[in-house]
């Protein structure tokens, strides 16, 4: 039986950008806010990569490209969609869009069995070690999932690999995949990034191997979901411990990005959120640090103890 829904890798034809349509959005005054930098676009400046504590990288060129989607029907490739989009193999967020300015609700189909567009979890097991949100004085834009170095990391949905790069001060070896449903997913801190830029991948195909590269205190996957460059809390879509996606569809509204305001406000007022852990039987410093995605040295420094200190059950340790 012929596979009527076999998808061909999108054809990409580079064309010269029409710079008359570029829009300069409001710049945010808080220079230390990763949230502010993640939605800033100024065509007069070189774009810098956005990550959880990133270094500036050589960003290369950005192009406006024509993308065609085709389907194999009766031995012929039939064009089913054609559109123009930004194709940038170096910059995570080239989309010049502030998610808070969305006027309408965007309905996203996460997977569709009828067209054989499925979903897969990014790892075989998904224990969460750090959540989306405040991390000390900065914002953490993804969900950290525990793994062992060398574990396989899989594409969450069908799509095309847009970025495969090294970021020594942030994501380490990381990959960004652009999906047909309008989302992009990012996979950070890999020991080895395997899927090459421009490669079409099906959900569940191997992208790379787990590790602890870049700014990382231990082996884990930093997993992000983004819409037009704006990060979305992955746990709004996934039940990670239960190893499933919550629904076939997902709605994107401006309210999803209100955390930009909270991040900016807390930085401006000097507010900080402190996290504490109550020691339980069997706890170790390394185990506690790994659970919260921080280093042992940070825990010892914040609590005035050493790695040889005996942890008494019931003691509260400051983590951040």
């Amino acid at each position: 039986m012929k596979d009527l829904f076999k998808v061909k890798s999108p054809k990409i034809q580079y064309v010269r950008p029409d710079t008359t349509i570029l829009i300069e959005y409001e710049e945010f005054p808080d220079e230390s806010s990763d949230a502010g930098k993640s939605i800033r676009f100024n065509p007069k400046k070189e774009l810098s990569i956005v990550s959880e504590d990133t270094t500036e990288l050589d960003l290369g060129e950005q192009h406006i490209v024509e993308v065609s989607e085709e389907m194999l029907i009766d031995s012929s490739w039939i064009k089913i969609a054609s559109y123009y989009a930004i194709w940038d193999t170096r910059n995570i967020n080239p989309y010049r869009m502030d998610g808070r300015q969305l006027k309408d609700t965007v309905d996203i189909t996460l997977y569709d069995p009828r067209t054989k567009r499925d979903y897969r979890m990014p790892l075989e097991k998904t224990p969460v070690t750090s959540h989306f949100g405040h991390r000390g004085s900065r914002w953490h834009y993804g969900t950290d999932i525990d793994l062992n170095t060398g574990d396989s990391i899989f594409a969450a949905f069908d799509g095309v690999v847009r970025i495969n790069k090294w970021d020594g001060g942030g994501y380490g070896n990381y990959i960004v995949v652009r999906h047909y449903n309008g989302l992009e997913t990012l996979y950070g801190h890999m020991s080895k990034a395997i899927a090459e830029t421009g490669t079409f991948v099906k959900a569940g195909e191997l992208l790379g191997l787990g590790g602890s590269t870049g700014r990382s205190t231990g082996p884990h996957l930093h997993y992000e979901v983004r819409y037009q460059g704006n990060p979305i809390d992955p746990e709004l879509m996934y039940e990670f411990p239960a190893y499933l996606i919550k629904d076939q569809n997902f709605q994107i509204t401006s309210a999803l990005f209100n955390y930009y305001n909270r991040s900016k406000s807390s930085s401006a007022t000097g507010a900080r959120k402190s996290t504490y852990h109550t020691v339980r039987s069997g706890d170790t410093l390394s185990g506690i640090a790994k659970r919260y995605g921080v280093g042992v040295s940070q825990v010892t420094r914040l609590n005035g103890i050493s790695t040889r200190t005996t942890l008494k059950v019931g003691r509260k340790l400051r983590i951040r």
Side-chain angles (χ1 to χ4, degrees):
M1 181 177 178
K2 296 180 180 178
D3 183 3
L4 299 182
F5 296 99
K6 181 178 180 183
V7 178
K8 186 178 181 181
S9 180
K11 295 179 179 178
I12 298 174
Q13 176 186 352
Y14 290 93
V15 298
R16 185 171 181 173
D18 179 3
T19 56
T20 62
I21 65 170
L22 296 180
I23 301 172
E24 183 176 347
Y25 285 102
E26 171 189 4
E27 294 205 7
F28 293 84
D30 181 8
E31 294 298 327
S32 65
S33 169
D34 283 343
K37 289 186 289 184
S38 75
I39 61 174
R40 182 182 305 142
F41 180 83
N42 185 339
K44 297 179 182 178
K45 296 180 181 179
E46 195 173 49
L47 296 173
S48 60
I49 199 166
V50 178
S51 77
E52 43 158 352
D53 301 312
T54 184
T55 54
E56 289 191 3
L57 304 179
D58 173 23
L59 300 175
E61 273 190 89
Q62 180 187 106
H63 303 274
I64 307 296
V65 301
E66 183 179 3
V67 180
S68 297
E69 294 183 29
E70 298 178 330
M71 181 180 295
L72 184 63
I73 300 178
D74 293 333
S75 302
S76 298
W77 286 102
I78 307 300
K79 181 181 291 189
I80 59 174
S82 181
Y83 53 91
Y84 285 90
I86 292 174
W87 182 259
D88 188 320
T89 60
R90 293 180 180 271
N91 181 40
I92 290 175
N93 182 10
Y95 300 108
R96 61 192 186 277
M97 171 191 167
D98 182 344
R100 293 169 297 178
Q101 304 304 317
L102 279 175
K103 302 300 183 183
D104 302 312
T105 297
V106 180
D107 293 310
I108 297 291
T109 300
L110 297 179
Y111 65 96
D112 187 356
R114 295 173 303 173
T115 57
K116 297 187 178 180
R117 287 184 178 170
D118 206 348
Y119 83 92
R120 291 290 184 272
M121 301 300 281
L123 293 167
E124 290 184 353
K125 296 181 180 179
T126 53
V128 173
T129 58
S130 186
H131 302 279
F132 185 98
H134 276 293
R135 178 179 282 181
S137 60
R138 61 191 176 90
W139 200 269
H140 184 235
Y141 294 112
T143 297
D144 289 347
I145 307 172
D146 194 24
L147 53 67
N148 294 315
T149 298
D151 284 354
S152 296
I153 295 173
F154 309 108
F157 309 101
D158 297 355
V160 180
V161 177
R162 183 166 69 83
I163 298 176
N164 176 331
K165 282 196 67 63
W166 163 257
D167 174 16
Y171 293 118
N173 290 313
Y174 74 98
I175 278 177
V176 175
V177 181
R178 178 181 289 176
H179 304 290
Y180 286 108
N181 55 25
L183 300 176
E184 290 189 326
T185 51
L186 182 150
Y187 311 77
H189 304 312
M190 293 187 285
S191 60
K192 184 177 183 181
I194 295 174
E196 297 181 356
T197 300
T199 303
F200 173 77
V201 291
K202 294 287 290 180
E205 283 195 30
L206 182 69
L207 295 179
L209 305 178
S212 183
T213 57
R215 180 163 182 164
S216 172
T217 56
H220 70 281
L221 171 66
H222 175 82
Y223 180 66
E224 293 185 9
V225 177
R226 290 179 176 241
Y227 176 72
Q228 294 291 301
N230 294 264
I232 297 171
D233 184 353
E235 291 181 78
L236 296 176
M237 299 180 183
Y238 292 95
E239 291 283 0
F240 282 114
Y243 200 75
L244 55 84
I245 205 163
K246 290 183 176 181
D247 203 323
Q248 183 175 350
N249 303 299
F250 186 79
Q251 289 190 331
I252 297 177
T253 66
S254 60
L256 289 178
F257 309 107
N258 284 341
Y259 63 83
Y260 284 143
N261 300 327
R262 298 197 299 272
S263 175
K264 179 181 175 183
S265 174
S266 63
S267 297
T269 60
R272 295 177 65 100
K273 178 189 284 186
S274 297
T275 302
Y276 292 84
H277 174 81
T278 301
V279 176
R280 295 174 293 185
S281 178
D283 276 349
T284 62
L285 278 175
S286 59
I288 293 170
K290 183 176 181 180
R291 177 178 179 181
Y292 291 93
V294 300
V296 171
S297 60
Q298 178 171 312
V299 179
T300 56
R301 174 176 55 80
L302 290 175
N303 294 278
I305 59 178
S306 72
T307 55
R308 294 187 294 273
T309 299
T310 300
L311 299 181
K312 295 183 179 180
V313 174
R315 176 173 180 172
K316 287 189 176 182
L317 294 177
R318 183 180 171 185
I319 307 300
R320 302 185 182 94

